[in-house]
């Protein structure tokens, strides 16, 4: 059973900063901040990146002291009442698109080991990032960043309740970020509403959409603290973690692709690449980027595009016989026909000889909000650019149902849940 609890969140004081400045204090998740954006965010000395990216600002301890000083000066305040926090994002993916609205809520969730199948990951992670977040958690003693989770509630009962609670009286934060996404936060403190949310969520499985490293970090820290305390029977603060939860039926929930960019391969590795692909795939060459882009928009399953930079060749690859993936990954692997699985196991490993260790050094990832075609044309660093399609949400559910993880970065949930809007300390301070 998923156990949820309200909490007395910490947030930047609008009284201190005013509506005009407060939007400059928040940031995207640490792992999607480019160097250029980081430089812009750091211009404000109170932006949350000075803490969440503390390692690059000197050391973690310095970042923790800085955060505590903001609380001591009243620049970050704690709410008086325990609450769930309604989180709405209003956005357009492109200027010509219709407006989308995604609404979820922020609460504390009891940590569960993955084998219990109450809270489930959906893709693989890279351990070095979990260790970085563990160090930050230890020194700050708090959940400063969101873990983004999704749940399945066809009834829509929670979402109707969230909409009812979006009142002017409950509004805490309203700002537009640098990507023209509007973020709004309301508090939900009524005991009856809180109990309804907890009741509806109780029997549901939660899927980690974003924040696998942060969740794994919290599990590691909980184990460490419980061991020090001789595993007490009663609940401790480390048993809970802050999460933003969104119904996967929400029309504003969007999954974008993450493209793969290959670099620093020996030149002879690319010789005859498409001919080798023809052993397993239908290869369709194109005269230019536009032709490939148009084809991919309506292409069949198990298809992705590739740009071979040294040869200036555009093409699409479609797996011809799925049996090759049965042999490579086994029939018990429900992810074996995913585009990302085909790319990683068949194209990168088998055809190009890029094993998992090499992938860490020779493959970069480009999120779906970026212009992959511009990167392909303009960045001479990359030899191969694989243009991916979004992973269907149904495939994510299937992977979770079978407790199997997709390849890393198989999905890119958009928009990201921002950091600094609501935060939580493991040990509450006195009122």
């Amino acid at each position: 059973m998923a156990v949820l609890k309200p909490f007395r969140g910490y947030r930047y004081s609008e009284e201190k900063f005013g509506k005009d400045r407060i939007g400059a204090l928040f940031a995207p998740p640490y792992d999607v901040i480019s160097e250029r954006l980081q430089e812009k965010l750091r211009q404000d000395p109170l932006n949350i990146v000075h803490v969440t990216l503390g390692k690059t600002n000197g050391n973690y301890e310095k970042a923790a002291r800085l955060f505590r000083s903001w609380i001591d000066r009243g620049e970050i305040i704690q709410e008086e009442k325990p609450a769930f926090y309604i989180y709405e994002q209003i956005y357009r993916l492109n200027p010509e698109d219709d407006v989308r609205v995604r609404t979820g809520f922020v609460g504390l969730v009891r940590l569960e080991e993955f084998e219990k199948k109450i809270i489930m990951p959906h893709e693989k992670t890279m351990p070095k990032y979990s260790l970085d977040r563990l160090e930050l958690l230890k020194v700050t003693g708090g959940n400063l960043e969101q873990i983004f989770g999704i749940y399945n509630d066809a009834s829509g009962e929670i979402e109707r309740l969230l909409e009812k609670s979006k009142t002017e009286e409950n509004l805490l934060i309203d700002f537009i970020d640098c990507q023209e996404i509007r973020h709004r936060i309301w508090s939900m403190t009524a005991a009856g509403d809180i109990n309804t949310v907890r009741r509806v969520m109780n029997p549901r499985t939660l899927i980690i959409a974003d924040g696998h490293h942060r969740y794994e970090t919290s599990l590691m820290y909980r184990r460490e603290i419980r061991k020090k305390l001789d595993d007490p029977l009663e609940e401790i603060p480390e048993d809970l973690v802050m999460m933003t939860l969104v119904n996967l039926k929400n029309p504003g929930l969007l999954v974008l692709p993450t493209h793969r960019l290959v670099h620093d391969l020996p030149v002879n590795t690319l010789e005859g690449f498409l001919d080798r692909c023809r052993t397993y795939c239908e290869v369709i060459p194109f005269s230019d980027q536009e032709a490939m882009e148009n084809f991919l928009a309506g292409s069949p399953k198990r298809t992705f595009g590739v740009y071979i930079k040294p040869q200036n060749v555009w093409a699409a690859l479609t797996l011809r016989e799925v049996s090759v993936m049965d042999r490579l990954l086994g029939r018990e692997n429900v992810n074996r026909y995913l585009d990302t699985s085909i790319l990683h196991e068949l194209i990168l490993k088998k055809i190009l000889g890029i094993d998992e260790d090499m992938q860490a050094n020779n493959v970069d990832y480009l999120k779906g909000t970026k212009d992959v075609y511009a990167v392909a044309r303009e960045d001479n660093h990359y030899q191969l650019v694989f243009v991916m399609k979004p992973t269907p949400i149904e495939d994510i559910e299937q992977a979770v149902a079978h407790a199997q993880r997709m390849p890393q970065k198989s999905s890119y949930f958009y928009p990201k849940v921002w950091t600094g809007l609501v935060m939580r300390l493991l040990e509450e301070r006195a009122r």
Side-chain angles (χ1 to χ4, degrees):
M1 298 186 295
V3 176
L4 276 71
K5 290 189 174 183
F7 67 107
R8 294 175 56 216
Y10 286 81
R11 61 182 175 87
Y12 284 99
S13 170
E14 190 174 281
E15 290 184 2
K16 282 270 186 181
F17 300 109
K19 291 184 177 180
D20 292 338
R21 182 184 174 190
I22 201 165
L25 307 179
F26 310 121
Y30 78 101
D31 53 351
V32 298
I33 300 176
S34 65
E35 290 186 9
R36 180 181 297 179
L37 178 57
Q38 182 182 155
E39 183 179 343
K40 178 181 179 181
L41 295 172
R42 284 186 183 277
Q43 291 174 4
D44 194 304
L46 279 93
N47 189 284
I48 195 64
V49 296
H50 291 287
V51 179
T52 58
L53 298 178
K55 185 178 181 181
T56 60
N57 197 35
N59 57 62
Y60 295 111
E61 288 76 13
K62 180 179 177 182
R65 289 194 300 270
L66 180 64
F67 183 73
R68 293 286 176 165
S69 72
W70 295 345
I71 297 175
D72 292 340
R73 296 197 300 263
E75 291 160 337
I76 289 180
I77 58 174
Q78 187 179 20
E79 296 294 334
E80 289 294 321
K81 297 180 180 180
F84 287 134
Y85 298 90
I86 303 163
Y87 184 11
E88 176 191 83
Q89 291 165 291
I90 304 174
Y91 68 99
R92 285 187 173 93
L93 184 59
N94 298 298
E96 64 274 11
D97 290 347
D98 293 336
V99 171
R100 297 172 182 256
V101 180
R102 188 179 77 189
T103 299
F105 69 97
V106 184
L108 298 187
V109 178
R110 187 173 68 191
L111 288 160
E112 303 287 358
E113 299 290 345
F114 292 141
E115 57 263 28
K116 290 186 177 181
K117 299 184 179 180
I118 296 171
I119 299 174
M120 297 291 290
H122 82 274
E123 62 184 14
K124 296 177 182 178
T125 58
M126 301 174 185
K128 64 178 181 178
Y129 297 119
S130 296
L131 296 177
D132 167 55
R133 293 299 95 182
L134 178 60
E135 190 64 28
L136 184 65
L137 174 58
K138 284 181 177 180
V139 298
T140 60
N143 303 141
L144 309 185
E145 303 169 287
Q146 295 293 333
I147 295 168
F148 179 28
I150 54 178
Y151 63 93
N152 193 338
D153 175 26
S155 74
E157 184 174 0
I158 289 178
E159 289 176 301
R160 289 192 294 273
L161 188 59
L162 299 180
E163 292 301 321
K164 185 192 77 172
S165 300
K166 290 180 181 178
T167 66
E168 190 66 31
E169 178 186 9
N170 296 333
L171 184 64
L172 302 177
I173 295 170
D174 186 351
F175 77 101
I176 297 175
D177 70 24
C178 55
Q179 295 178 311
E180 299 299 315
I181 300 171
R182 186 179 183 183
H183 303 254
R184 293 199 287 181
I185 298 281
W186 295 263
S187 63
M188 177 194 287
T189 57
D193 294 343
I194 287 172
N195 289 336
T196 297
V197 171
R198 298 183 70 189
R199 172 183 58 78
V200 175
M201 291 298 300
N202 188 250
R204 305 188 187 284
T205 297
L206 307 183
I207 301 172
I208 301 173
D210 271 339
H212 288 77
H213 295 108
R214 277 154 272 173
Y215 189 86
E216 290 171 351
T217 291
S218 296
L219 283 175
M220 287 188 284
Y221 190 54
R222 192 265 299 271
R223 293 183 202 118
E224 182 179 315
I225 297 301
R226 279 199 158 272
K227 184 177 180 180
K228 287 181 181 179
L229 298 176
D230 293 326
D231 200 14
L233 292 175
E234 66 272 13
E235 183 177 85
I236 60 174
E238 289 78 8
D239 288 329
L240 301 164
V241 70
M242 182 176 64
M243 293 183 72
T244 293
L245 297 168
V246 173
N247 188 354
L248 62 83
K249 306 295 184 185
N250 190 288
L253 183 67
L254 191 61
V255 182
L256 301 178
T258 300
H259 311 293
R260 272 62 172 168
L261 315 171
V262 179
H263 55 89
D264 294 322
L265 295 180
V267 175
N268 60 1
T269 304
L270 301 182
E271 293 176 3
F273 169 63
L274 288 183
D275 288 336
R276 281 175 280 156
C277 288
R278 285 188 175 92
T279 303
Y280 309 99
C281 302
E282 181 180 356
V283 177
I284 304 175
F286 300 100
S287 57
D288 54 29
Q289 164 208 316
E290 184 178 1
M292 187 180 84
E293 189 175 4
N294 290 336
F295 174 81
L296 290 178
S299 61
K301 290 182 178 180
R302 299 181 285 279
T303 298
F304 43 84
V306 61
Y307 176 59
I308 308 172
K309 181 81 174 182
Q311 302 165 15
N312 192 32
V313 170
W314 301 86
L317 307 177
T318 301
L319 183 67
R320 188 182 301 112
E321 294 291 339
V322 296
S323 58
V324 66
M325 296 308 298
D326 296 341
R327 294 192 296 272
L328 286 175
L329 292 177
R331 289 179 177 275
E332 70 283 355
N333 190 321
V334 299
N335 296 319
R336 64 192 185 279
Y337 302 149
L338 292 178
D339 293 352
T340 50
S341 295
I342 296 166
L343 175 61
H344 281 254
E345 297 297 325
L346 178 62
I347 305 299
L348 296 184
K349 283 187 184 180
K350 188 173 180 63
I351 293 179
L352 290 172
I354 307 174
D355 61 22
E356 290 187 5
D357 290 337
M358 290 181 65
Q359 287 177 28
N361 298 314
N362 295 86
V363 181
D364 292 343
Y365 299 87
L366 185 72
K367 55 191 177 183
T369 53
K370 299 293 185 181
D371 187 349
V372 65
Y373 297 104
V375 172
R377 291 191 309 270
E378 299 165 12
D379 196 323
N380 292 322
H381 177 57
Y382 296 114
Q383 297 163 296
L384 295 169
V385 176
F386 291 97
V387 181
M388 310 304 292
K389 297 189 296 182
T391 298
I393 194 76
E394 295 80 10
D395 289 346
I396 295 173
E397 285 190 279
Q398 177 178 251
V400 168
H402 289 80
Q404 296 181 11
R405 296 202 196 194
M406 298 176 168
Q408 67 268 24
K409 301 186 183 298
S410 287
S411 61
Y412 185 84
F413 285 86
Y414 187 83
K416 296 299 180 183
V417 293
W418 272 45
T419 300
L421 282 74
V422 181
M423 296 163 284
R424 174 246 184 169
L425 294 184
L426 295 173
E427 297 291 347
E428 287 197 358
R429 291 192 163 194
R431 292 175 187 262

